[in-house]
Amino acid sequence: MPAGEAYAAPMPGPTFAAHFHLPGDPSIAPYAYGRQGNPTWTALEAAVAELEAPGEDALAVVFPSGMAATTAVLFALLRPGDVAVLPSDGYQLLPRARERLEGFGVVVRTAPTGADAQLAAIDDDVRLVWVETPSNPGLDVCDIRRLADAAHARGALLVVDNTLATPLGQRPLALGADLSIASGTKALNGHGDVLLGYAVARDAALATALRAWRTETGAIVGPMEAWLAHRGIATLQLRVERQGASALAVARALRARPEVSGVRYPGLPEDPGHAVAARQMRHFGCVVSFTLPDRAHAERFLAALRLVSDATSFGGVRSTAERRARWGGDDVPEGFVRLSVGIEDTEDLVADLDAALDAALDVSSGGARAT
């Protein structure tokens, strides 16, 4: 909608419709049946495409969750006999997607994210390379342009999961990727009240294939969810900037604690992925990971937090943290914690983390805090 249109709401409300008035030839109708399209999706898709590829003719396709977007890309674009390369340290549902792919006859190779290790798995047989940078939950980083060049030289597509970086932090299409996908449940919506996913491509044929998959499988977004996610975009830049600044402060505070090890945040100059991240990212995200001595120590820490909720997911306005090993799907130590930094006051947040670490340490040391 043009800015300042007379008497119009700043953002039209959601369109609730299972069908639309459809005179004449349905092939030229913008909207016909609710599984095929909805004006609320269209508005959100235009906004997402502009975020991921400003000023370009990119096309976005929205889905009801990040995994719906992930499986749409994998199953719509791969055929039996195709070879795909996936990260071995990516989101914990990727191994389950791998099992499904292999059940359909797709050959899957895996390699870790760090040091561009997936390069070694790319050869002339590969049809699709999937990278996740930064990776979830380990926060390793890979060079998108380098991997895109390698994939394209072998005739393969490069897909980037951009969930942790957000489109304001990183633009994979500008770095050579064919598709940028994300869980809009996280930072895009940002308020922890919507499940959503999306994929963005410059190639209209790729977008068409994903839309066909969405229609044929019924993997569609509710109009209310699409509208809420679109509304959340209005504060995305403010949230990303605040969360990134606080995450860096949190990472530095955690590094100062002797009982904390393995602090990872791409924005830290000393982080192993910082050099690559600094070349391809404008913001480093809201997630910090670290390890406490053991499971019990981590659980005491989480129980002592006051501002931070013990919950899964990330990217929301409220800070959350969890011991990731409780799910059983990530190759991490029992004391590994993934922390999502929200928009709370930075000093208050650091103070809460320090107090919780003190409480966990006092119990483990019998009341005498180490100095």
Side-chain angles (χ1 to χ4, degrees), residues 85-138:
V85 178
L86 303 182
S88 59
D89 54 347
Y91 177 52
Q92 62 167 302
L93 283 185
L94 277 181
R96 298 191 197 179
R98 173 185 180 178
E99 292 175 6
R100 299 277 186 183
L101 286 170
E102 291 173 335
F104 283 104
V106 175
V107 178
V108 179
R109 302 171 185 166
T110 62
T113 299
D116 299 339
Q118 287 170 282
L119 283 171
I122 302 173
D123 59 22
D124 291 339
D125 296 327
V126 173
R127 161 69 176 152
L128 182 147
V129 180
W130 184 286
V131 303
E132 186 177 293
T133 181
S135 62
N136 174 27

Side-chain angles (χ1 to χ4, degrees), residues 19-352:
H19 61 269
F20 299 82
H21 182 58
L22 188 61
D25 183 358
S27 68
I28 62 172
Y31 304 103
Y33 184 63
R35 193 177 67 251
Q36 298 168 317
N38 180 291
T40 313
W41 304 353
T42 302
L44 174 60
E45 287 173 340
V48 169
E50 182 66 20
L51 285 171
E52 287 278 352
E56 300 186 33
D57 293 327
L59 298 165
V61 185
V62 293
F63 294 90
S65 69
M67 278 307 296
T70 295
T71 54
V73 170
L74 292 174
F75 288 92
L77 302 183
L78 293 171
R79 298 290 181 268
D82 284 346
V83 178
V85 178
L86 303 182
S88 59
D89 54 347
Y91 177 52
Q92 62 167 302
L93 283 185
L94 277 181
R96 298 191 197 179
R98 173 185 180 178
E99 292 175 6
R100 299 277 186 183
L101 286 170
E102 291 173 335
F104 283 104
V106 175
V107 178
V108 179
R109 302 171 185 166
T110 62
T113 299
D116 299 339
Q118 287 170 282
L119 283 171
I122 302 173
D123 59 22
D124 291 339
D125 296 327
V126 173
R127 161 69 176 152
L128 182 147
V129 180
W130 184 286
V131 303
E132 186 177 293
T133 181
S135 62
N136 174 27
L139 301 183
D140 275 321
V141 172
C142 62
D143 187 324
I144 295 172
R145 188 173 295 282
R146 186 182 183 200
L147 283 155
D149 289 346
H152 295 159
R154 301 301 182 105
L157 298 170
L158 184 80
V159 182
V160 177
D161 185 332
N162 202 34
T163 304
L164 268 160
T166 82
L168 296 188
Q170 179 172 270
R171 294 208 168 105
L173 298 184
L175 295 167
D178 299 284
L179 281 159
S180 178
I181 76 106
S183 169
T185 307
K186 311 301 193 293
L188 188 81
N189 171 57
H191 290 78
D193 52 9
V194 166
L195 292 179
L196 191 113
Y198 68 79
V200 183
R202 286 199 189 93
D203 186 340
L206 291 176
T208 297
L210 295 180
R211 287 201 179 99
W213 175 270
R214 179 177 66 186
T215 298
E216 292 157 10
T217 62
I220 62 171
V221 185
M224 190 66 188
E225 286 77 9
W227 185 84
L228 284 169
H230 195 172
R231 185 183 67 167
I233 290 174
T235 59
L236 180 60
Q237 180 175 349
L238 298 174
R239 290 185 279 109
V240 164
E241 291 178 353
R242 176 58 173 268
Q243 288 167 312
S246 292
L248 182 58
V250 163
R252 286 172 171 158
L254 289 169
R255 281 180 58 84
R257 303 284 306 209
E259 75 275 28
V260 175
S261 63
V263 177
R264 294 298 305 272
Y265 182 65
L268 282 170
E270 56 269 36
D271 187 89
H274 179 74
V276 174
R279 288 200 304 269
Q280 67 189 22
M281 300 179 73
R282 295 177 302 153
H283 300 284
F284 299 107
C286 67
V287 177
V288 179
S289 66
F290 59 97
T291 302
L292 292 171
D294 53 38
R295 171 177 177 167
H297 197 124
E299 290 179 346
R300 288 194 302 271
F301 162 71
L302 293 167
L305 291 166
R306 293 295 174 263
L307 284 180
V308 183
S309 297
D310 187 348
T312 195
S313 200
F314 57 86
V317 293
R318 296 175 180 82
S319 293
T320 60
E322 70 170 341
R323 193 179 65 82
R324 284 299 290 178
R326 66 180 178 172
W327 296 100
D330 297 310
D331 184 18
V332 294
E334 287 293 324
F336 181 95
V337 175
R338 186 185 70 183
L339 169 66
S340 172
V341 176
I343 63 169
E344 300 91 351
D345 179 83
T346 304
E347 291 184 3
D348 287 349
L349 186 57
V350 170
D352 187 45

